[in-house]
Amino acid sequence: MPFDWLRAGPPLAEWWDLRDLGNAVGGLLGWIDDRGGPSWLPYVVSGLIGIVGILLWSVFSQLFFVWAERRLVARIQVRLGPNRAGPLGLLQPVADALKVLTKEMITPRNADRLLFWASPILVMVPALVVFAVLPFGERMVLADLNVGVLFVIAIGSINTIVVFMAGWSSSNKFSLLGAMRTVAMLISYELVQVLALLAVVVFTNSMRMGAIVGWQDDFNTWIVFVQPLALLAYIFAGAVEINRTPTDIAEAESEIVAGYHTEYGGIRWGMFQLAEYVAGFAIAAIVVTMYLGGWTLWGLEEWVPGWLIFLGKLYGFFFVFIWMRGTLPRLRVDQLMGFAWKYLLPLLLVNVLLAGLEVLIWQENGFAAEAVLPAFAVANWALAVVLVVGWGQVLGHLRPEHRAKRPVLVKEVGAILYEPYPLRPGGSVPEA
Amino acid sequence: MSVGLEHFLVLGAVLFAIGIYLALTKRNAVAVLMGIELMFNAVNVTFVAFSRFVESASPLTGHVFVVFIITVAAAEAAVALALAVLVYRNRETINIDEINLLKW
Amino acid sequence: MDDSGSVVAFWTLAALTVGSALMVVAVRNLVHAVVYLILSFVGVAGIFVLLSADFLAVAQVLIYAGAIPVLIIFAIMLTPRAARDNAETSLGLPALPLVGALLATIISIAVVTDWPEATRGGFEETTSVIGEALLSTYVLPFEIASVLLLAAMLGAIILVRED
Amino acid sequence: MAMKTEPFVVNIGPQHPSTHGVFRMKLTLDGERIIDVDMILGYLHRSMEKLAEERTYTQNIPFTDRADYLAAMTGNLAYCLAAEKLAGVEVPERAQWLRVIMSELQRIASHALAIGTFINDCGAWHTPLMYMLREREKVLDLFEMACGARLTVNYMRIGGVAFDVPDGFVPACRALVKEMPDRIAEYEGLLLENEILVARARGVGILPADMAIAYSISGPMLRGSGVAWDLRKADPYAVYDQVDFDIPVGTNGDSYDRFLVRMEEMRQSVRILEQGLDALPGGPVNVDIPVALMPPPGETYARIESPRGELGFYVVSDGGPAPFRFHIRAASYINLSALREMTVGLTVADAIVVLGSVDIVMGEVDR
């Protein structure tokens, strides 16, 4: 019988027990079975409920978060943010949505019709499909695949193709430049994501999202305590994947106007914006599930509904992206590439090696989890700091002359103070 | 009517045929490579179909072979495309008909 | 594989895969050909899900729909003036009957021989079994494959690097 | 086997979010690297110098506001000095001090905008700019209090300043001066140790000292390249010789040093303001001169240190009521000439950062 796991688990709580919406769906399936519906009907029904639920939730929370982001970034920038449309500017996203819907959708003359039409639709696919695997509550997950983590990475890699299609098909120099930059960047950071998530799977030795949350619940240690480096790397790689500062290379406004979605107007451009936010939620949801204990909060999930905790953590974490957007300047493309290949990858390889060693020690001698995990936590945090600073020194990122030097204050006029660099027109500082 | 092993084998065969046709008839070297990738996929489908339907001691060996095929195919694609770019740089074209002079 | 859901799924996925593979042959613009190729690879991933090979389905999407098309696209980008059309070579005509004959033989073999059908259903958990196999019985090919990947990577870089 | 790729010409401007006005830069790219930069100017040319030849000396003062519209006060001052030198007019003590106070306030406002837009080009979307605009707002309120206008102030006259400052001006100015140091400390806390900003700007767009002198660069760009040259010290005008302040000098002449120099100059301007407010004497603020002032025939060149560099006015009089020749030596126009030397070899993103660090104002460039 399909979806028997909905019926398995603790004795099915009443359907109105909203702490886990899975109960309600389970109750509905039971009702359908009693009515003797065809065998495939419950399968279709629960699938549809899941899909509609994810769609509605993501679109409406995107609307809310457009407003929240603009208010928060405004607060960071000592200004008010939208407060004209509706009370406290709450209707601003609705106004934006209407504006985007009514704007005309222009197609450039020698655009590549098929790809130009397809890419705004396809840009939503990776952002939404990732949610199928993420558990909002104990039984609130659309498809708890036992290759969950790999599924998340695979869907993320489709994003690369769609970005290229958008840039290539709008046949404009700036879009192509933006698209090629983004594709190269997404590929190098896909590897960083794989290694960051691998470190988690090494500990929970299962790729099923439910099992990962279960592991964090049983040992009630969040994986962020045991793997801080992996979380930092994943946050940065996540910021790269959804093109947010400090890595919004794709639509680097100050450089190549708006990157790969320059030529899109109207709702097509709206789809790109919607996809960016929904992908942001997806990254935040993955981080919360993998590193911050998913929908469990050390037992609180008995009273407070699991999905409320999950959403609270998700929005709380999404604030980090908003905060980064409000403060950090943008990195250049080659600096980003160098950072991924030369700095992050070796670090993460070492991190996965250490995680493997630790789990080996733990499993071989069969230590008690309460003793071993705190020890690992302390060791890993210390190691993380040592690795980050040490590797930074080795690569010369933190070399003294790279640090800012204050100007020299002079009283009288006419003194030439410094011996000029070898006269290379416009070259950058020769790598010492 | 139920879907048996033969269905998947036929599907694999059709995909293989399309791959060969692509490899044989296309003028652009990159298109030929696409044909080869398609052939690899056809073989993968057949392997997985056998491992699913046929009785055997360790049924998942088919999957292990497919993993090896995927890695080798990726490596082969990388080298083949590098060759295509190199040929383009020397001969200004990757049209297979024109790359037929052995006096390189 | 008897319940009606998977039969419908099989025919739609088969149609999707073969259809887009044919489009790769038919379509003129090379970039469109790559897009259709990706579509057929995703169709193959669906077929893997039908055959309850979940690890392979996801790996297929990751590699064949995420990495190899990007390689192909970069190759197309690096050969700008080359013919970007998908035209046939002059001596393409004899290929059709040859392919037809090959297809007929394979299909006849497939249908005629009666394979020792297994009676069990799909696999529950394939990832861990593949992992065990890779590192126990097939550890030598696993190492050779990694050396091969390294060689391919170096080769590709050296070929294309213009110092 | 060299890769045969045709160069990829990209047009930055005239309508582009980060060209600081209508300025067009044709970049010839090889991949991401810039091979050649070709600048196209003239989109904002209003032939100011020709129009000035039909107007009396006093009627020409509003032109100087609109040349460098981000530093109108210093524009007025430079022209009035030139006219006074030509007509031999003596400016009263109080007007001299008011001129120093107003030009230092203008320097703070202009540098605030310059640093803000420079950080914008590095990618920190508006956050530092908004902080600095908050300070610029206070300076503009002071201008409005003194002469009724915020941007095109038209405050200075030949022989002094138009009106005396109202009573509320000095206390408001003292409040600003008291508050400014920890505001600047706030910006430095936000920006100075920011690794990404250092990575984006350090070593980008290097201008060696001798090349800066060869291109007759002036202002923060020249000081950023390590040459200690400031007209307020080199050729003191108004009462700058009675004021004590330092000149910040950069070390390796890249965009980051120019940013540091501008930040330091804001601090020095606050020091000058403090001394100015303390030493502000009483007395008249201007000398009445005939409406159709007819200076004796002759030519003069007066120059001051505007926030962008050496702003000079070359005025020739043929004895008539209107200047025979009226030429503005605009600092950004000449600072822009070194852009090609600084950006060849860098990437597109760096070119935008370097353009931001040059801090041009198209009104002054095109005149």
Side-chain angles (χ1 to χ4, degrees):
Chain A
M1 284 296 289
F3 273 75
D4 42 20
W5 55 267
L6 254 182
R7 293 180 188 76
L12 202 56
E14 306 328 323
W15 61 270
W16 35 261
D17 173 359
L18 284 185
R19 278 176 309 165
D20 186 334
L21 297 185
N23 305 340
V25 173
L28 183 66
L29 297 185
W31 185 79
I32 292 173
D33 291 347
D34 309 343
R35 295 295 171 283
S39 72
W40 47 267
L41 188 60
Y43 191 76
V44 168
V45 161
S46 61
L48 274 181
I49 291 173
I51 292 165
V52 164
I54 290 174
L55 258 176
L56 283 181
W57 169 74
S58 58
V59 170
F60 281 110
S61 64
Q62 187 260 348
L63 273 184
F64 170 75
F65 251 80
V66 166
W67 174 80
E69 164 151 29
R70 285 175 65 171
R71 294 290 294 198
L72 280 171
V73 169
R75 187 105 297 300
I76 295 174
Q77 295 175 351
V78 188
R79 56 186 172 85
L80 276 182
N83 52 14
R84 287 288 180 273
L88 271 176
L90 272 169
L91 292 185
Q92 183 68 33
V94 175
D96 288 351
L98 281 181
K99 174 203 80 175
V100 155
L101 282 169
T102 50
K103 277 271 179 27
E104 186 206 354
M105 286 193 289
I106 307 154
T107 311
R109 187 156 6 90
N110 43 26
D112 191 325
R113 289 266 177 282
L114 171 74
L115 300 187
F116 191 77
W117 165 80
S119 40
I121 300 164
L122 287 179
V123 85
M124 277 307 286
V125 162
L128 279 175
V129 166
V130 171
F131 281 104
V133 163
L134 293 171
F136 284 68
E138 193 192 346
R139 282 205 293 280
M140 281 170 61
V141 56
L142 191 52
D144 201 356
L145 306 175
N146 46 34
V147 274
V149 173
L150 204 57
F151 179 83
V152 160
I153 301 165
I155 296 299
S157 76
I158 293 181
N159 200 3
T160 324
I161 305 291
V162 174
V163 157
F164 168 74
M165 268 163 54
W168 163 264
S169 61
S170 30
S171 78
N172 121 10
K173 225 177 272 185
F174 283 141
S175 311
L176 191 58
L177 197 59
M180 293 317 280
R181 275 176 164 191
T182 322
V183 164
M185 201 176 59
L186 286 177
I187 297 172
S188 32
Y189 275 93
E190 208 175 299
L191 224 54
V192 171
Q193 272 181 357
V194 165
L195 286 175
L197 295 179
L198 183 62
V200 173
V201 172
V202 158
F203 265 91
T204 59
N205 62 46
S206 151
M207 290 213 275
R208 202 165 60 79
M209 291 291 193
I212 291 172
V213 172
W215 186 89
Q216 293 177 44
D217 191 20
D218 303 344
F219 297 106
N220 46 49
T221 52
W222 290 357
I223 295 199
V224 75
F225 301 145
V226 182
Q227 282 292 340
L229 208 56
L231 175 63
L232 288 179
Y234 192 82
I235 291 175
F236 196 80
V240 165
E241 188 176 332
I242 50 175
N243 292 330
R244 285 192 80 89
T245 315
T247 59
D248 54 354
I249 300 292
E251 68 276 347
E253 292 76 11
S254 56
E255 286 132 29
I256 36 158
V257 190
Y260 54 85
H261 47 72
T262 321
E263 292 301 330
Y264 287 90
I267 187 60
R268 288 189 180 135
W269 178 80
M271 290 301 266
F272 278 104
Q273 293 308 316
L274 182 62
E276 190 197 314
Y277 272 95
V278 174
F281 292 139
I283 296 288
I286 295 165
V287 164
V288 164
T289 317
M290 305 289 283
Y291 295 100
L292 305 177
W295 46 271
T296 63
L297 196 60
W298 296 313
L300 189 62
E301 72 276 7
E302 300 309 326
W303 297 282
V304 175
W307 47 273
L308 260 185
I309 300 174
F310 181 76
L311 289 187
K313 283 188 197 170
L314 191 145
Y315 293 147
F317 184 77
F318 195 70
F319 169 73
V320 171
F321 283 136
I322 295 178
W323 186 19
M324 278 203 306
R325 175 152 183 223
T327 45
L328 294 176
R330 175 185 309 120
L331 276 166
R332 235 189 11 233
V333 176
D334 46 342
Q335 288 166 343
L336 257 177
M337 272 342 144
F339 184 66
W341 293 108
K342 289 189 220 151
Y343 184 77
L344 269 183
L345 275 188
L347 218 58
L348 285 173
L349 285 175
V350 167
N351 183 21
V352 167
L353 177 73
L354 292 179
L357 275 177
E358 280 165 7
V359 168
L360 189 67
I361 297 162
W362 177 18
Q363 304 300 8
E364 284 314 307
N365 327 43
F367 291 128
E370 299 73 20
V372 157
L373 282 179
F376 284 162
V378 168
N380 279 354
W381 274 85
L383 262 165
V385 169
V386 163
L387 277 176
V388 165
V389 174
W391 189 231
Q393 287 291 2
V394 166
L395 279 188
H397 287 184
L398 308 172
R399 259 210 308 268
E401 69 261 24
H402 274 229
R403 306 215 54 76
K405 264 204 285 239
R406 304 188 72 83
V408 174
L409 290 183
V410 165
K411 273 273 188 279
E412 77 301 328
V413 149
I416 296 188
L417 270 173
Y418 90 113
E419 70 300 341
Y421 273 85
L423 199 56
R424 263 188 324 105
S428 52
V429 176
E431 279 307 322
Chain B
M1 58 102 183
S2 77
V3 173
L5 173 60
E6 288 73 17
H7 293 78
F8 289 100
L9 293 184
V10 168
L11 176 69
V14 167
L15 273 181
F16 192 76
I18 297 174
I20 286 189
Y21 182 75
L22 235 138
L24 288 183
T25 55
K26 283 301 169 190
R27 204 166 40 155
N28 192 330
V30 177
V32 168
L33 187 82
M34 283 203 256
I36 297 168
E37 290 305 322
L38 213 55
M39 284 195 256
F40 275 124
N41 270 27
V43 168
N44 287 350
V45 166
T46 325
F47 261 119
V48 174
F50 277 126
S51 89
R52 163 73 176 73
F53 284 101
V54 169
E55 183 53 48
S56 89
S58 59
L60 284 178
T61 37
H63 292 228
V64 171
F65 268 78
V66 170
V67 167
F68 281 132
I69 289 178
I70 288 182
T71 48
V72 168
E76 177 269 335
V79 173
L81 288 168
L83 279 176
V85 169
L86 201 59
V87 159
Y88 167 74
R89 250 195 246 146
N90 294 356
R91 282 285 175 274
E92 206 60 48
T93 166
I94 45 175
N95 173 344
I96 300 179
D97 292 350
E98 289 159 17
I99 313 167
N100 49 21
L101 313 172
L102 275 184
K103 54 174 177 54
W104 204 245
Chain C
M1 288 288 256
D2 42 14
D3 52 357
S4 57
S6 56
V7 171
V8 167
F10 170 75
W11 287 110
T12 45
L13 281 172
L16 173 79
T17 317
V18 173
S20 48
L22 285 174
M23 284 301 279
V24 172
V25 176
V27 86
R28 278 296 137 242
N29 176 343
L30 200 59
V31 179
H32 288 193
V34 173
V35 169
Y36 283 116
L37 191 71
I38 299 168
L39 204 59
S40 70
F41 287 158
V42 170
V44 166
I47 301 280
F48 284 166
V49 168
L50 265 178
L51 293 166
S52 77
D54 51 5
F55 174 74
L56 288 184
V58 180
Q60 164 90 355
V61 169
L62 176 64
I63 294 168
Y64 273 107
I68 292 192
V70 173
L71 267 176
I72 296 177
I73 286 168
F74 268 79
I76 295 175
M77 285 293 124
L78 287 174
T79 56
R81 267 192 303 284
R84 285 236 172 103
D85 60 353
N86 212 353
E88 270 67 22
T89 67
S90 49
L91 33 93
L93 249 355
L96 210 55
L98 176 89
V99 165
L102 179 77
L103 186 60
T105 46
I106 297 176
I107 289 179
S108 60
I109 296 168
V111 171
V112 162
T113 54
D114 54 352
W115 311 99
E117 293 275 343
T119 52
R120 53 163 164 56
F123 311 107
E124 273 321 305
E125 166 67 54
T126 64
T127 327
S128 50
V129 173
I130 296 177
E132 300 288 304
L134 267 180
L135 289 178
S136 57
T137 46
Y138 296 97
V139 72
L140 185 59
F142 180 76
E143 297 307 330
I144 294 174
S146 60
V147 169
L148 180 120
L149 277 175
L150 182 63
M153 193 163 57
L154 288 180
I157 292 173
I158 290 165
L159 280 179
V160 186
R161 191 170 59 91
E162 20 114 15
D163 34 22
Chain D
M1 175 52 73
M3 178 76 131
K4 286 188 284 300
T5 54
E6 72 279 3
F8 181 66
V9 178
V10 165
N11 240 315
I12 307 249
Q15 202 282 328
H16 187 274
S18 66
T19 45
H20 303 263
V22 269
F23 161 75
R24 179 169 158 211
M25 205 162 52
K26 246 158 79 170
L27 300 178
T28 319
L29 298 179
D30 164 21
E32 277 276 341
R33 291 275 157 230
I34 297 174
I35 315 169
D36 186 18
V37 177
D38 176 16
M39 293 175 274
I40 294 115
L41 309 175
Y43 289 91
L44 202 54
H45 179 60
R46 298 157 289 185
S47 75
M48 214 178 266
E49 296 178 356
K50 187 60 189 166
L51 289 175
E53 284 160 13
E54 276 94 33
R55 279 160 181 71
T56 71
Y57 282 88
T58 311
Q59 283 172 336
N60 280 337
I61 294 178
F63 280 134
T64 60
D65 298 336
R66 278 133 180 104
D68 180 350
Y69 44 76
L70 291 182
M73 282 291 184
T74 43
N76 292 355
L77 177 58
Y79 173 67
C80 293
L81 285 178
E84 280 148 15
K85 205 187 273 183
L86 209 58
V89 171
E90 260 312 303
V91 178
E93 198 59 20
R94 182 172 173 82
Q96 302 266 23
W97 281 99
L98 275 180
R99 284 180 170 181
V100 164
I101 290 169
M102 288 303 174
S103 32
E104 287 316 314
L105 279 173
Q106 186 69 81
R107 196 181 309 280
I108 291 176
S110 164
H111 278 337
L113 206 63
I115 296 172
T117 45
F118 166 68
I119 307 287
N120 249 3
D121 295 343
C122 288
W125 212 230
H126 289 310
T127 306
L129 180 64
M130 288 302 168
Y131 278 82
M132 297 190 180
L133 286 184
R134 178 185 58 189
E135 266 54 63
R136 187 163 182 272
E137 225 24 65
K138 298 191 178 94
V139 170
L140 297 187
D141 292 346
L142 285 174
F143 283 165
E144 193 172 357
M145 204 191 295
C147 58
R150 294 160 56 85
L151 209 60
T152 57
V153 285
N154 196 4
Y155 178 58
M156 305 205 179
R157 294 291 177 276
I158 298 166
V161 281
F163 331 92
D164 198 347
V165 282
D167 311 341
F169 180 85
V170 174
C173 201
R174 281 204 192 285
L176 174 68
V177 161
K178 196 152 52 57
E179 180 202 17
M180 210 44 198
D182 54 22
R183 285 278 181 269
I184 296 179
E186 196 183 357
Y187 309 149
E188 287 189 340
L190 184 68
L191 295 172
L192 214 53
E193 295 301 321
N194 189 322
E195 260 74 24
I196 298 178
L197 184 63
V198 169
R200 278 301 295 277
R202 172 63 76 193
V204 165
I206 296 242
L207 186 64
D210 39 19
M211 187 187 292
I213 295 171
Y215 274 85
S216 68
I217 304 282
S218 60
M221 269 185 80
L222 183 63
R223 290 189 283 278
S225 300
V227 179
W229 176 258
D230 186 329
L231 282 176
R232 294 173 289 176
K233 290 264 188 200
D235 176 3
Y237 49 92
V239 283
Y240 272 107
D241 40 19
Q242 301 164 19
V243 191
D244 164 41
F245 64 97
D246 299 331
I247 312 172
V249 176
T251 43
N252 43 25
D254 50 22
S255 312
Y256 197 74
D257 270 341
R258 291 189 274 274
F259 153 72
L260 287 178
V261 161
R262 287 199 185 93
M263 195 70 100
E264 195 52 42
E265 267 182 19
M266 277 167 83
R267 212 179 240 117
Q268 295 307 319
S269 299
V270 169
R271 261 179 74 190
I272 298 172
L273 270 176
E274 241 160 341
Q275 297 165 44
L277 287 174
D278 299 345
L280 190 59
V285 281
N286 52 26
V287 171
D288 52 5
I289 52 164
V291 171
L293 174 75
M294 283 195 257
E299 56 175 23
T300 177
Y301 177 69
R303 54 182 182 169
I304 64 154
E305 181 69 30
S306 89
R308 264 154 275 288
E310 175 182 331
L311 173 63
F313 276 79
Y314 170 67
V315 184
V316 173
S317 144
D318 61 354
F324 177 76
R325 174 77 176 99
F326 171 94
H327 169 64
I328 306 173
R329 190 268 191 202
S332 351
Y333 179 70
I334 292 166
N335 292 352
L336 204 54
S337 56
L339 188 67
R340 190 183 180 294
E341 293 304 325
M342 292 194 285
T343 44
V344 163
L346 301 181
T347 67
V348 178
D350 290 339
I352 301 290
V353 168
V354 170
L355 184 63
S357 73
V358 169
D359 172 27
I360 54 168
V361 170
M362 288 318 287
E364 194 179 38
V365 171
D366 291 346
R367 290 185 291 281

